[in-house]
Amino acid sequence: MLDSVKGPHDVKRLAAEELPRLAGEVRDLLVDSCAKFGGHLGPNLGVVELTIAIHRVFDSPRDPVVWDTGHQGYVHKLLTGRAAGFDALKQEGGLSGYPSRAESEHDFVENSHASTALSYADGLAKAFKLRGEHDRTVVAVIGDGALTGGMAWEALNNIAGAKDLPIVIVVNDNGRSYSPTIGGLASHLSSLRVNRRYEDMLEYVKGKIGNVPVLYDALHGIKKGVKDVIAPQAMFEDLGLKYVGPIDGHDEQAMEAALRKARGFRGPVIVHALTQKGRGYSPAENHDEDQFHSPGAFDRATGAEKPKGRIWTNVFSEELVRLGHERDDLVAITAAMLHPTGLAAFAEAFPERIYDVGIAEQHALTSAAGLALGGMHPVVAVYATFLNRAFDQLLMDVALHRLPVTVVLDRAGVTGDDGASHNGMWDLSILQVVPGLRVAVPRDGRRLTELLREAVAVSDGPTALRFPKGPVAEAIEPVGSLGTMDVLREPASGEPDVLLVGVGPMTQACMEAAVLLDAQGISSTVVDPRWVKPLDEALVGAAQAHKLVAVVEDNGRVGAVGDAVSRLLRDADVDVPVRSYGIPQEFLDHAKRAAILGRIGLTGQDLARQITEAVARRGSPVVSPS
């Protein structure tokens, strides 16, 4: 049946009794595809019936459907004509793991950073109103986890103030601690809430008795779902939003009925759907950690994941626990990513010293500032791509006060499969502008443990440490030192030509390039700065002893370490040319990390070729200033 679905129109023409079969085929395809390469399986198994209902009630793309976050949009892809290419999900040249405007007109927003959909919906609905397109409805699907982000509530505040914006907000509540209110009374009350005559009566009564101030209870249901906040219907309706629910999100007919009522209201409506993450695949349903939120490749029959080997996150996790035993002032903060960022072991060892703030990176940094002001040393672990969201807090709340907060950036640089929004290619640029911040980039596991210890030992300002996704790089031992820098390779003899400055894991490519350069008669020195902000002044003298400096980093080229090296040499009146090799300032298509590094010229062979050409263009040797 799924093969015949080329778009939402095909979903609409199916009889109600055919929909369970369609849902079953969708789940089978989700499990089969994710078993091969991994993917966000659990969230999508939970939204099958919900997504079918959305496409039977609304007219995508005329009625935009915006997903928050986009990782729960797999079923949407299947129902909008992309089932044929689904076996190549997240593979190079295949479908993106998130909504993609390049793939389909049904994908309005390429969002994979949480808590944004309601703001998009607010803007879209206002645009349609201004254009006179009053027959269009905007649908925003947001998970209960994303509702822990402050931006979602900023949007709700604005949406609630616009009574005539046709926005249907589907809260996909897949938490497990709430028992749904079901039965005839609940259905009757849901119908009543979206009845225009009821609304008119309320407005009439309100006008007679005047406005009564409402005191709102603070939200405290972080990552447990809106169900844990006393009474969700009261909370949303106090904001001025109509509320329908809770609805069994796996009862397609009930979801359809609720969505049709919501659409008919022609104003902002919350439809609260209770769903089960991992629904229909027992290994996911019974997976205590996260219901197969985003597993790697796994055995379809058993659900057992294929071994990943030792990754960078493991090294960080183990060392942080050791540090926790040594220092009782060390605390850790996560933004709803306890296991992915490696903090689960710390939480188990020190349950009183771990804080999960939900999808709220801004709050995480300022809360860390408060902890530091109170005498603790917080370690905030986030994916590098999500640091962007908390830049102002790091700058003004942490750095301005010179507070000892350590930010650990996992999945820095090219991450690959998750696409443009998840590459951690911005941090080394934005962190350069933060006064007093020290930034460390380890090249291998041994250096990660060393630098983490050095970072948390800093007591007069913030520190940051970043490392990539995937297996830990093979250790490269230094052959010497230059200030705080490690010298990894020196020319065998004669005057050196090129100083290769490898930033963290990119030292491996530098070492490979050095061997190839030797074969071309170009001698080179390879150094690892270890701390890239501030740069060691010893780098100035090292540059003067060479004819060319090449900086290689796994970050966007603009404003990052290469630019910092150039600035350092300019300020010292050293005119040795500097070549910067990094990620081009563009959004990268999804592919494996190695494939992307090859595509953008960050392999040892590519670097050797580019540096050889740069040396050749220089012609005669560069005369260093005396």
Side-chain angles (χ1 to χ4, degrees):
M1 183 177 293
L2 184 57
D3 290 341
S4 68
V5 174
K6 307 303 179 185
H9 57 282
D10 292 319
V11 180
K12 287 180 172 64
R13 65 173 173 75
L14 295 174
E17 57 269 20
E18 294 179 289
L19 299 179
R21 177 184 165 191
L22 175 63
E25 291 186 11
V26 166
R27 284 195 169 90
D28 284 342
L29 182 55
L30 288 173
V31 175
D32 288 342
S33 298
C34 290
K36 294 177 185 175
F37 304 114
H40 287 96
L41 178 60
N44 285 283
L45 290 172
V47 297
V48 175
E49 290 83 7
L50 184 155
T51 310
I52 291 172
I54 286 173
H55 282 297
R56 283 173 64 82
V57 172
F58 299 97
D59 295 315
S60 177
R62 181 156 185 81
D63 295 330
V65 182
V66 183
W67 298 87
D68 193 338
T69 61
H71 66 235
Q72 61 180 325
Y74 290 8
V75 185
H76 167 77
K77 287 177 182 273
L78 293 175
L79 300 183
T80 52
R82 286 169 276 180
F86 205 75
D87 57 350
L89 181 75
K90 298 177 68 174
Q91 303 306 296
E92 187 171 10
L95 293 178
S96 167
Y98 293 92
S100 170
R101 289 168 63 88
E103 282 180 14
S104 173
E105 63 179 347
H106 297 282
D107 292 0
F108 260 73
V109 175
E110 301 187 17
N111 58 326
S112 60
H113 286 199
S115 312
T116 61
L118 301 184
S119 296
Y120 280 119
D122 177 61
L124 279 166
K126 288 172 178 173
F128 296 156
K129 178 183 177 181
L130 291 170
R131 292 168 59 89
E133 299 173 356
H134 302 294
D135 59 339
R136 304 181 74 174
T137 301
V138 182
V139 183
V141 185
I142 183 168
D144 55 307
L147 278 177
T148 63
M151 185 174 173
W153 293 92
E154 293 174 18
L156 279 173
N157 181 57
N158 280 271
I159 291 170
K163 306 296 185 185
D164 59 347
L165 288 183
I167 301 174
V168 174
I169 301 168
V170 181
V171 176
N172 172 31
D173 190 348
N174 61 20
R176 294 171 290 166
S177 59
Y178 181 74
S179 298
T181 303
I182 57 175
L185 179 60
S187 298
H188 174 71
L189 289 175
S190 294
S191 299
L192 185 63
R193 290 188 189 102
V194 291
N195 186 302
R196 264 296 173 190
R197 286 175 295 175
Y198 175 65
E199 174 72 1
D200 293 341
M201 181 191 72
L202 286 181
E203 291 297 325
Y204 174 79
V205 172
K206 189 181 296 183
K208 291 294 184 183
I209 66 174
N211 291 323
V212 179
V214 179
L215 179 64
Y216 300 110
D217 289 329
L219 288 174
H220 62 276
I222 289 182
K223 200 50 183 169
K224 294 180 181 177
V226 294
K227 56 198 171 298
D228 291 322
V229 188
I230 306 176
Q233 63 268 30
M235 175 180 66
F236 287 121
E237 291 191 342
D238 282 349
L239 281 172
L241 294 165
K242 292 302 159 192
Y243 173 89
V244 178
I247 309 295
D248 180 354
H250 302 295
D251 184 335
E252 195 281 332
Q253 292 298 294
M255 280 302 308
E256 267 198 58
L259 291 172
R260 291 188 192 282
K261 292 170 186 173
R263 184 189 64 182
F265 182 67
R266 306 309 296 164
V269 181
I270 296 275
V271 178
H272 185 182
L274 300 177
T275 63
Q276 180 186 13
K277 202 171 180 179
R279 176 86 167 200
Y281 181 54
S282 58
E285 291 179 351
N286 299 321
H287 187 250
D288 290 335
E289 183 178 311
D290 62 7
Q291 283 69 55
F292 272 33
H293 178 79
S294 182
F298 59 90
D299 181 86
R300 209 279 190 210
T302 66
E305 286 193 63
K306 296 179 181 177
K308 294 179 180 178
R310 188 168 173 75
I311 62 175
W312 291 87
T313 310
N314 299 141
V315 180
F316 160 67
S317 176
E318 294 162 5
E319 188 62 18
L320 189 65
V321 171
R322 283 191 285 269
L323 287 164
H325 283 295
E326 297 169 17
R327 294 180 50 171
D328 59 10
D329 67 330
L330 209 64
V331 296
I333 300 177
T334 175
M337 303 194 77
L338 185 70
H339 290 87
T341 59
L343 292 183
F346 189 91
E348 185 175 351
F350 313 105
E352 75 286 358
R353 286 195 268 154
I354 184 78
Y355 302 98
D356 186 344
V357 301
I359 302 177
E361 292 85 1
Q362 291 174 306
H363 170 66
L365 264 295
T366 304
S367 178
L371 281 161
L373 284 167
M376 307 303 288
H377 189 112
V379 175
V380 183
V382 296
Y383 283 1
T385 183
F386 298 131
L387 176 68
N388 309 351
R389 318 188 77 182
F391 173 74
D392 183 66
Q393 288 68 32
L394 177 62
L395 179 67
M396 292 299 176
D397 302 337
V398 176
L400 178 65
H401 297 89
R402 300 177 178 86
L403 295 173
V405 174
T406 296
V407 181
V408 174
L409 303 174
D410 199 334
R411 300 200 177 196
V414 172
T415 56
D417 295 344
D418 280 331
S421 62
H422 270 55
N423 288 316
M425 57 178 284
W426 323 105
D427 55 292
L428 288 181
S429 299
I430 63 176
L431 293 179
Q432 285 290 336
V433 306
V434 180
L437 173 69
R438 301 166 174 89
V439 181
V441 189
R443 64 179 178 271
D444 53 39
R446 188 170 303 172
R447 256 45 63 173
L448 195 163
T449 60
E450 292 174 1
L451 289 168
L452 179 60
R453 283 183 170 271
E454 293 177 25
V456 299
V458 174
S459 60
D460 61 349
T463 54
L465 181 146
R466 56 116 70 181
F467 51 83
K469 175 184 178 181
V472 184
E474 184 178 344
I476 305 174
E477 296 304 324
V479 298
S481 62
L482 194 60
T484 59
M485 300 185 295
D486 283 343
V487 179
L488 306 182
R489 190 179 192 276
E490 295 177 321
S493 62
E495 185 179 346
D497 295 309
V498 179
L499 176 64
L500 279 164
V501 181
V503 177
M506 300 313 295
T507 54
Q508 183 63 54
C510 289
M511 294 291 280
E512 295 168 5
V515 173
L516 296 172
L517 288 171
D518 268 352
Q520 298 296 319
I522 301 172
S523 61
S524 60
T525 305
V526 180
V527 298
D528 173 9
R530 298 177 73 254
W531 290 91
V532 298
K533 184 181 185 302
L535 290 165
D536 196 305
E537 292 288 337
L539 192 58
V540 174
Q544 286 179 308
H546 294 76
K547 303 168 185 176
L548 179 73
V549 177
V551 183
V552 184
E553 57 189 311
D554 188 7
N555 191 86
R557 293 177 63 232
V558 176
V561 181
D563 284 356
V565 171
S566 296
R567 186 170 58 253
L568 176 70
L569 298 186
R570 286 198 307 270
D571 290 347
D573 291 325
V574 174
D575 60 0
V576 176
V578 177
R579 294 289 181 271
S580 179
Y581 301 97
I583 302 173
Q585 228 57 50
E586 61 188 44
F587 295 108
L588 304 174
D589 291 335
H590 63 277
K592 295 297 182 186
R593 174 179 165 89
I596 293 176
L597 291 177
R599 185 193 307 159
I600 61 179
L602 290 182
T603 68
Q605 186 171 10
D606 290 321
L607 291 169
R609 175 182 51 77
Q610 295 173 81
I611 293 169
T612 299
E613 292 172 355
V615 171
R617 284 196 299 270
R618 297 296 305 173
S620 58
V622 176
V623 179
S624 299
S626 57

